Amino acid sequence: MEALSKNFFLLLSNSSVLDKMAKKWGPRLGADKIVGGESFDQAIPLIQQLNSQGLHVTVDHLGEYVNSESEARERAEECISTIQAIHNHQLNTQLSLKLTSLGLDISHELVHENMTRILEAAKQYDVVVTIDMEDSSRTEKTLELYKHFKKDYDNLGTVIQSYLFRSNQDVEELSDYNAYLRLVKGAYKESGKVAFTEKSMVDDNLKKLIAKHLLNGNYTAIASHDEAMIDFTKDFVEKNNIPKDQFEFQMLYGMRNQMQLDLLQEGYKVRVYLPYGEDWYGYFMRRLAERPANIAFAVKGLFSK
């Protein structure tokens, strides 16, 4: 049933008809409860509010799979202007981005050029950039680019998905780069040839990845709304004397708000993933597909103040 639910929402995420309807009726559907606005300027007051509560933030301009060079360059400019705005407004936020939005599927030269410009701006203004992970067909290219840029830019992180068979080896190799990793379960529809299909196996692998990366002494972001995963992390860091400044919890904007504040009160660092932009529909559907329990969180978030 869970697999059926996941496939259903992943199917919906690719519907161009529903995407158009969502953009038209987004505010009435409660899009403003899960997305920070259509532009970064609209997201700034939300970031300031979250920061005032003691929450850290990472922002992401929604959109991926760009297939034109001009659009890829526009996306890069958006990232650079966002970095500058973060500095100008003294916001406690990082930047997340997808390489397909910067030309990964177009040419190596284009995505390399765009990433270099973004990372130079991020270095100038001391902003951390995280490369989001996409589907498995792009994992190798993404990690190759991460390793290349990490040699020159310390303020760079990436994401590892626990549903992929390869992830344990990837975490091991990335330890040599003192990698800042966001560890997640994964949210794309993948073949059983490359990914675990049973939830219990995905969960077990995420626990292994968390333990491995923490014990390797590297900074770890545990991105999950799963209370069992959060409790596992709490117990693990206590038993292994892992300092609280070596890890953080990450959650989506608009979901598990009280849990975010509770963790904060317990002395843990919490970061809120705040997307902005018009292309919120596919993002939202993948979040529901990632973990069907998110449906309850989403419904509560959509209809509660």
Side-chain angles (χ1 to χ4, degrees):
M1 183 56 125
E2 182 174 315
L4 182 63
S5 175
K6 179 173 182 176
N7 290 336
F8 173 71
F9 283 107
L10 287 174
L11 179 64
L12 291 183
S13 74
N14 293 319
S15 170
S16 58
V17 174
L18 292 177
D19 183 31
K20 291 179 181 178
M21 291 175 61
K23 288 179 180 177
K24 180 178 180 180
W25 299 101
R28 293 189 183 184
L29 293 173
D32 57 339
K33 297 289 198 308
I34 61 169
V35 176
E38 294 185 356
S39 68
F40 185 70
D41 284 343
Q42 292 177 356
I44 288 174
L46 292 176
I47 298 171
Q48 292 171 329
Q49 179 182 353
L50 292 168
N51 288 168
S52 70
Q53 294 176 292
L55 294 163
H56 303 257
V57 177
T58 188
V59 295
D60 176 24
H61 184 227
L62 293 171
E64 53 197 296
Y65 308 132
V66 167
N67 54 25
S68 76
E69 182 174 326
S70 60
E71 188 176 355
R73 294 187 189 282
E74 288 175 6
R75 296 288 180 139
E77 286 299 330
E78 170 68 25
C79 289
I80 293 170
S81 65
T82 296
I83 289 169
Q84 292 170 337
I86 289 171
H87 170 76
N88 293 338
H89 292 272
Q90 297 184 321
L91 302 173
N92 182 356
T93 183
Q94 299 177 355
L95 173 72
S96 292
L97 55 80
K98 290 180 173 60
L99 292 181
T100 54
S101 73
L102 302 175
L104 181 67
D105 295 344
I106 301 173
S107 74
H108 176 81
E109 291 75 20
L110 179 61
V111 70
H112 187 279
E113 175 190 335
N114 285 334
M115 272 300 294
T116 299
R117 293 178 60 234
I118 291 167
L119 291 174
E120 280 297 313
K123 183 177 182 180
Q124 177 182 352
Y125 294 114
D126 194 24
V127 173
V128 174
V129 174
T130 298
I131 301 174
D132 285 341
M133 191 58 70
E134 303 179 67
D135 63 87
S136 62
S137 68
R138 298 171 174 89
T139 300
E140 185 65 28
K141 286 184 179 179
T142 298
L143 292 181
E144 286 178 0
L145 283 165
Y146 174 76
K147 291 173 182 177
H148 170 79
F149 283 113
K150 188 65 169 63
K151 296 175 183 177
D152 296 317
Y153 301 97
D154 290 333
N155 57 328
L156 182 64
T158 192
V159 179
I160 294 294
Q161 301 162 316
S162 72
Y163 64 2
L164 296 181
F165 298 150
R166 61 173 292 163
S167 293
N168 186 64
Q169 183 62 35
D170 286 335
V171 168
E172 189 65 39
E173 292 179 3
L174 288 168
S175 182
D176 294 337
Y177 293 81
N178 190 29
Y180 161 31
L181 295 182
R182 178 195 301 151
L183 302 179
V184 304
K185 294 182 182 181
Y188 291 85
K189 183 174 175 57
E190 299 288 358
S191 165
K193 295 180 180 180
V194 299
F196 299 108
T197 57
E198 297 294 326
K199 179 182 181 300
S200 60
M201 300 180 75
V202 176
D203 289 352
D204 287 344
N205 200 39
L206 181 54
K207 291 177 182 178
K208 292 176 182 177
L209 299 180
I210 292 170
K212 177 185 287 288
H213 203 55
L214 285 171
L215 290 178
N216 283 342
N218 297 309
Y219 194 84
T220 307
I222 299 92
S224 177
H225 301 123
D226 189 338
E227 292 184 41
M229 201 61 60
I230 291 169
D231 288 340
F232 163 81
T233 303
K234 288 181 181 180
D235 291 341
F236 184 85
V237 297
E238 182 176 354
K239 291 176 182 177
N240 291 276
N241 297 315
I242 305 292
K244 286 186 176 179
D245 61 1
Q246 192 187 323
F247 68 96
E248 65 184 50
F249 293 107
Q250 293 190 2
M251 296 185 189
L252 303 176
Y253 173 68
M255 295 187 183
R256 304 310 299 263
N257 296 337
Q258 189 57 52
M259 179 181 285
Q260 295 172 17
L261 296 176
D262 289 345
L263 287 169
L264 199 63
Q265 288 297 315
E266 293 172 25
Y268 296 103
K269 184 176 180 179
V270 181
R271 187 175 304 278
V272 178
Y273 187 97
L274 178 67
Y276 71 94
E278 296 181 354
D279 295 331
W280 62 271
Y281 172 76
Y283 156 81
F284 188 43
M285 288 298 107
R286 283 198 299 274
R287 298 293 77 75
L288 298 184
E290 184 176 18
R291 184 168 182 259
N294 281 346
I295 298 170
F297 304 152
V299 171
K300 183 176 180 181
L302 291 175
F303 296 104
S304 63
K305 294 182 179 180

